[in-house]
Amino acid sequence: MSTQYGEKQRSSDKAVTTVDAVVIGAGFSGLYQLLCLRDKLGLSVKVLEKGDGVGGTWYWNRYPGARCDSESHSYCYFFSRELLEEWEWSERYPEPPEILRYLNHVADKFDLKRDIEFGTLVTAARYDEAANLWDIETESGRRYRTTYLITAVGCISSANIPDIPGLRDFKGEWYHTGQWPHEGVDFSGKRVGQIGTGSTGIQAAPVIAAKAAHLTVFQRTANYSVPARNAPLSDEFKQYVHEHHDEIRQIVQSTPNGHPFRISERKVFDLDPAQRQAVYDAAWEKGGLQFRAAFQDLLANKAANDTAAEFLKNKIRGIVRDPETAEALADIDHPYAAKRPPIDTNYFETFNRDNVTLVNLRKDPIERITPSGIKTREHEYELDVIVFATGFDALTGTLLRLNIEGRDGATLRDFWKAGPKTYLGLQVPGFPNLFTITGPGSPSVLCNMPVAIEQHVEWITNCIAYMREHAIDRCEALPEATDKWVEHVNEAANATLLPQVKHSWYLGANIPGKPRVFMPYAGGMARYRAICDDVAAKGYEGFVFSRRGEDTATALNDFTAATTISSPGV
Ligand code: NA7
């Protein structure tokens, strides 16, 4: 224990809680991690959660129009047959209140809340090498000591509020969609300005426009969107789900993106233009993220992608009546689905309303926020409310804000200053026994999240179980394995069109000064799962196991040498 920290520790001993594991966050990942460590392994566990309830993303994102864009029957846990059988979703894409009901049901069913400290913001975590324990500080002053520290903080939980001059002087109300007031916002009779046209802005605009006196949408980058075709689930579909849990699980766990549909095996240029048009027409009618599964090569071949892009741009031109607005909305500069592809309910139709205006920031950029609205280079827009649908400091933002210090006081912020480096998205060298659920370098946001989460939680649980069975105190990613994994993450991304979008948050480009590194693993969830299984089967290849008091050079497994990333060819 370092002197400085040791002194602090003694002065507030009473407020220190010691447990086997601390999990940060009580969303999908934190709840399941608690259940696994406590009820399967018998560990003492505390979950530290900033919010006053479970739900993670869904606790915070309650903006108008918020809806999950994974289909409900796949946006759930698959680990418990009983849970699958007793829960019934009501719509194709659930809204936050329904997802929160589901997660509260899970938390109550498995009696999880007694081990969750709500309203607890973690402000720092330091590894104490001599004790092989993590010391965790919280905003309230309460402290925790733990062997295993597991972050379950989600990938899109740190709001990005752009630093536009003048915001402080704005006399109206303003909100970020990811920090939405729980009591809601009344837009009636108000002039609303919405900045941002990502998945969130595209969901929010139609709902805000239906209430507000006027909505002005400030668009920097035009975006594709496919109709979600949300609807209540029919009795027939609910019956199908109840009878096919195993099959649905098998599909979500074997597809590259964890969704309950398979990607077509046909390629775009296998079909003639008329046949292709028929495929796109059918996919448009079906709606949702499934559109990108219409052909197997949409994300690998630019010419193939161009055909989808042109189809979707033509849809915009066909829907939006004002030609100038239609052109600004269809002036999309990146391949379809190379940025996160939104799905919507009447987004483009919203621009046919008399009370909606589109401002094309590429032609007329925002200069500043004034006390009464937003001033672009050429116009001034009087506003009562500004809605920032401006996204998140994704994948790394929340992890860095935890102020994590590993071995020898090295900080995660410093280790990641040129971009995140992890082994399998699960661990970082120099940070023993720290596990990052859906961390950068894992499929995370490129996958239906609960599917990625279940795999990570189970892998971490098995790893900790293995350590305990073999009296191993410490697990740490090897630097060589980490470098190879980072290389592999880059290769996987470069085999797709994804890194070609220079302004994508997958690359960190939405945050000024953030290193431009492609962060999620684009090699597919099924392949990733097989790689992780293989690593574990080989005695946790690429990780080093050691006992307290021993250094990593006397590792208990055989993998101190550089390892190769096995590619099981799935
Ligand atoms: P996104 O996808 O990051 O979208 C943010 C939007 O805000 C996007 O249109 C940005 O334009 C825009 N933006 C950001 N900063 C500015 C400034 N300074 N000026 C103008 N416009 C700006 O976030 P979402 O919340 O929509 O979606 C995040 C994920 O949440 C989504 O993938 C789902 O998984 C759920 P840009 O494209 O950067 O030019």
Side-chain angles (χ1 to χ4, degrees), residues 57-58 61 63 67 69 156 160-164 176-178 194-203 218-223 333-334 339-342 361-362 366 388-392 394 445 449 503-506 509-510:
T57 292
W58 302 105
N61 280 271
Y63 59 87
R67 209 176 265 288
D69 52 15
I156 44 174
N160 167 39
I161 300 168
D163 189 15
I164 302 173
H176 186 281
T177 51
Q194 176 189 304
I195 305 178
T197 52
S199 301
T200 299
I202 281 176
Q203 287 184 335
F218 295 86
Q219 170 191 280
R220 187 163 68 181
T221 305
N223 218 337
D333 63 0
H334 52 273
K339 284 178 94 169
R340 173 79 183 205
L361 298 180
R362 289 276 164 95
I366 293 178
F388 288 94
T390 44
F392 301 88
V445 292
M449 285 302 278
H503 47 72
S504 148
W505 57 260
Y506 294 155
N510 62 329

Side-chain angles (χ1 to χ4, degrees), residues 82-344:
E82 201 178 280
L83 178 60
L84 282 166
E85 279 172 7
E86 71 198 10
W87 188 261
E88 193 168 270
W89 295 100
S90 68
E91 292 183 274
R92 183 174 178 188
Y93 303 98
E95 288 185 297
E98 188 169 15
I99 303 173
L100 289 173
R101 275 201 302 283
Y102 172 73
L103 289 173
N104 274 288
H105 170 73
V106 172
D108 293 337
K109 178 180 174 70
F110 296 103
D111 192 17
L112 300 177
K113 288 181 185 166
R114 69 182 152 94
D115 289 312
I116 306 174
E117 307 273 355
F118 291 108
T120 303
L121 177 70
V122 172
T123 52
R126 292 189 196 91
Y127 178 63
D128 172 351
E129 183 154 11
N132 188 39
L133 290 172
W134 283 91
D135 287 306
I136 293 145
E137 291 179 17
T138 67
E139 197 177 41
S140 67
R142 187 116 193 220
R143 305 159 76 97
Y144 299 82
R145 255 167 103 68
T146 187
T147 306
Y148 313 105
L149 174 60
I150 298 141
T151 60
V153 294
C155 299
I156 44 174
S157 42
S158 284
N160 167 39
I161 300 168
D163 189 15
I164 302 173
L167 178 58
R168 240 183 276 161
D169 305 325
F170 181 57
K171 296 270 188 284
E173 308 153 52
W174 65 268
Y175 306 95
H176 186 281
T177 51
Q179 301 170 338
W180 204 256
H182 288 189
E183 64 281 11
V185 175
D186 182 8
F187 291 108
S188 10
K190 303 221 169 111
R191 297 161 303 174
V192 182
Q194 176 189 304
I195 305 178
T197 52
S199 301
T200 299
I202 281 176
Q203 287 184 335
V207 183
I208 297 175
K211 283 273 160 59
H214 194 91
L215 172 67
T216 308
V217 176
F218 295 86
Q219 170 191 280
R220 187 163 68 181
T221 305
N223 218 337
Y224 302 95
S225 186
V226 170
R229 310 262 182 236
N230 184 51
L233 294 178
S234 64
D235 290 342
E236 202 185 345
F237 188 78
K238 288 177 183 172
Q239 189 59 29
Y240 159 79
V241 171
H242 278 300
E243 288 169 5
H244 293 85
H245 291 307
D246 291 336
E247 192 184 325
I248 297 165
R249 181 198 289 108
Q250 201 275 331
I251 295 172
V252 299
Q253 293 186 350
S254 60
T255 54
N257 52 27
H259 286 290
F261 49 81
R262 296 200 189 280
I263 294 175
S264 169
E265 282 175 15
R266 74 189 152 221
K267 291 186 170 177
V268 164
F269 297 111
D270 290 346
L271 302 188
D272 67 35
Q275 291 168 324
R276 212 153 49 224
Q277 179 75 20
V279 169
Y280 285 138
D281 281 336
W284 175 266
E285 282 317 310
K286 179 129 188 119
L289 294 176
Q290 204 160 342
F291 189 90
R292 83 190 147 166
F295 292 100
Q296 63 138 290
D297 51 346
L298 286 181
L299 276 177
N301 176 345
K302 174 70 168 57
N305 192 291
D306 285 346
T307 66
E310 209 36 46
F311 174 89
L312 293 171
K313 290 176 185 179
N314 282 336
K315 284 288 178 194
I316 300 171
R317 294 179 188 120
I319 294 170
V320 180
R321 286 197 288 269
D322 174 60
E324 198 184 330
T325 307
E327 226 22 70
L329 288 165
D331 185 18
I332 307 173
D333 63 0
H334 52 273
Y336 165 65
K339 284 178 94 169
R340 173 79 183 205
I343 61 174
D344 71 276

